[in-house]
Amino acid sequence: MPASDLSRAALSTVRVWLVGGGKMGGALLTGWLDNGVAPDNVTIIDPAPGRVPQGVRLAADPAAPLAEGPAPDVLVLAVKPQIMDDVLPAYRSLGDGTTVALSVAAGRLIAGFEAALGAGTPVVRSIPNTPAAVHRGMTVACANAHVTETARATCDALLGAVGDIAWVDDEALIDAVTAVSGSGPAYVFWLTECMARAGVEAGLPEALAARIARATVSGAGALMDQAEEDPATLRRNVTSPNGTTAAALDELMNDRAGLGPLMTRAVAAAARRSRELAG
């Protein structure tokens, strides 16, 4: 979902430091540049980044950009959660209330960023997912009390450049968000694998089973994205009474052993692990 015209105007002048130029950082950067962020307003801080687009500045460590100034409007923290504690102290001088710290790291609480950067630091915690790489991501974000409306709109535009964006006021909901959308693409990929395997068991050649499973899942997703009907209606629309789809759904919709109870347990397990990682 592209940024709005207003967001494009705001993005054209925003200064961004991207700490971590890996897959998620790279996906965000591509979205920003496609939606109006000026390359020379972006600095990637990473000793070994991926592709660096023309015009974007690169620093191996934060010392150079901190010395050069000016401070960024948004400090995007896109490093792995397990090294975040080693990275944050270098940016404490930015915790004066003018730079927004925007995290895309799972399992890292707002309170942790406030402790590392300063109690008055505006912090936005967000959970994007991997379809951001093709600008079809789903991101949910939560802001602390120091984030102004202007800063929130800027973060909304940056995150919205790679897909859909929603906000929650209760940070505790982020664990459930992580379990549904953050981890969700893996569930869909596993479903595709299972469909392909089942096709082989039913007699299809392996390559054909893999091809039609992949195309069916991606095509159904595209249809759902464009349709006005909700998923339940779409499901009913393709299910003839006593037909082949109904026979399969009788298995998948079993109250005790079907996909519904299994997915509930899976999401609960992911949310529980998210809470454990957050400490």
Side-chain angles (χ1 to χ4, degrees):
M1 181 176 68
S4 67
D5 291 339
L6 179 62
S7 295
R8 274 190 81 91
L11 284 174
S12 66
T13 59
V14 69
R15 295 187 304 277
V16 184
W17 288 5
L18 174 62
V19 184
K23 290 183 179 179
M24 184 56 69
L28 289 167
L29 177 59
T30 300
W32 301 339
L33 299 179
D34 287 348
N35 283 277
V37 173
D40 57 2
N41 279 340
V42 179
T43 299
I44 300 174
I45 303 173
D46 192 320
R51 186 181 70 87
V52 180
Q54 185 175 5
V56 172
R57 295 191 302 164
L58 175 64
D61 61 65
L66 283 169
E68 293 170 3
D73 299 303
V74 184
L75 176 71
V76 180
L77 298 161
V79 298
K80 295 184 181 301
Q82 57 266 36
I83 67 169
M84 188 69 75
D85 290 338
D86 297 328
V87 169
L88 287 175
Y91 301 97
R92 189 169 177 86
S93 63
L94 298 178
D96 60 0
T98 58
T99 296
V100 182
L102 170 58
S103 168
V104 297
R108 305 299 306 209
L109 299 175
I110 288 175
F113 294 106
E114 293 173 337
L117 299 173
T121 304
V123 178
V124 171
R125 179 185 175 191
S126 70
I127 300 294
N129 61 12
T130 53
V134 292
H135 296 190
R136 295 294 304 274
M138 179 68 230
T139 302
V140 177
C142 182
N144 71 359
H146 303 295
V147 176
T148 65
E149 287 300 317
T150 298
R152 176 170 166 145
T154 299
C155 290
D156 187 273
L158 290 173
L159 295 170
V162 292
D164 201 358
I165 167 74
W167 292 79
V168 295
D169 294 326
D170 182 0
E171 187 182 5
L173 294 176
I174 293 295
D175 295 315
V177 167
T178 302
V180 176
S181 66
S183 301
Y187 312 157
V188 177
F189 301 149
W190 176 240
L191 171 65
T192 308
E193 290 181 70
C194 290
M195 288 175 62
R197 261 186 223 155
V200 171
E201 290 294 324
L204 292 175
E206 185 174 348
L208 178 59
R211 178 180 176 184
I212 63 177
R214 183 171 185 153
T216 298
V217 171
S218 60
L223 173 62
M224 183 168 57
D225 185 55
Q226 296 179 24
E228 295 182 359
E229 298 89 348
D230 62 20
T233 301
L234 292 173
R235 169 178 54 79
R236 288 191 291 268
N237 288 347
V238 298
T239 306
S240 301
N242 299 315
T244 58
T245 306
L249 289 175
D250 283 344
E251 298 293 332
L252 291 172
M253 298 177 72
N254 184 287
D255 288 340
R256 289 183 296 177
L259 182 59
L262 179 61
M263 186 60 70
T264 297
R265 294 197 303 272
V267 168
R272 183 169 58 250
R273 184 58 179 153
S274 179
R275 290 190 292 270
E276 292 170 354
L277 290 173

